[in-house]
Amino acid sequence: MSRIPRELFVPWESRYLAYEDRPLPIGLQQTISQPFMVAWMTSALGLTGTEKVLEIGTGSGYQTAILSELARQVISVERLPELAVNAESLLAKLGYFNIEFHIAGPVLGWPLSAPYNAILVTAGAPRVPQGLLDQLSIYGRLVIPIGSRYDQELVKVTKLAKTNITEYLGGCRFVPLVSAEAWEET
Ligand code: SAH
């Protein structure tokens, strides 16, 4: 995390806050996550460097850069084209080349490149989307905030051959995941 210049991922007017441990607005009613939350979610994925990781909610691209440093390949999906384009150009400038960027389609995630060893969702959903479990490989880990539109709990699901292991990691607060498998747009 200390290698990644977070000030480049926040709007110009909030650069002086870039090294505070707090989320910040990035426009279009979205936020860059709090650094502690980024660290916590990333560590929950248990990456070793060999994984193909799916990230849902590129946003600023900050979390994407962290995943890029710790995994073999990152597929990052964002619903809002403006955010996706900005993140893609910033991460190319910073020299991250193991990332594929996609604009979200009607199906949650990116089934075309599945299965993934790890999936990280950086927006909140009412329940664990079955469609994402389907895109996970056996022994794959899904980390996702689950709860109401305003308050969630971080949930880690490890997929096994016959059953899944679900762990509850603690409270968090994310913007809503907008999808047929989650929330409607407001
Ligand atoms: N990790 C990002 C978080 C951005 S906020 C960061 O720290 O900068 C969550 C993001 O999820 C928003 O940019 C929002 O547009 C996106 N999002 C919401 N629903 C989505 C969906 N169904 N597919 C892809 N992205 C989605």
Side-chain angles (χ1 to χ4, degrees), residues 6 10 14 17-18 20-26 30-38 173-175:
R6 190 167 181 263
V10 304
S14 33
L17 297 170
E20 300 288 321
D21 191 20
R22 54 181 270 195
L24 292 167
I26 54 169
Q30 308 304 325
T31 51
I32 177 173
S33 299
Q34 176 191 3
F36 171 76
M37 187 57 62
V38 172
R173 184 167 292 180
F174 279 82
V175 297

Side-chain angles (χ1 to χ4, degrees), residues 9 26 28 30-34 38 55-64 77-80 83 104-105 108-109 122-123 174-179:
F9 293 82
I26 54 169
L28 306 173
Q30 308 304 325
T31 51
I32 177 173
S33 299
Q34 176 191 3
V38 172
E55 178 192 38
I56 299 174
T58 315
S60 65
Y62 180 73
Q63 170 80 68
T64 321
V77 184
E78 170 57 53
R79 207 183 129 246
L80 300 171
L83 295 178
L108 182 61
T122 63
F174 279 82
V175 297
L177 181 70
V178 177
S179 162

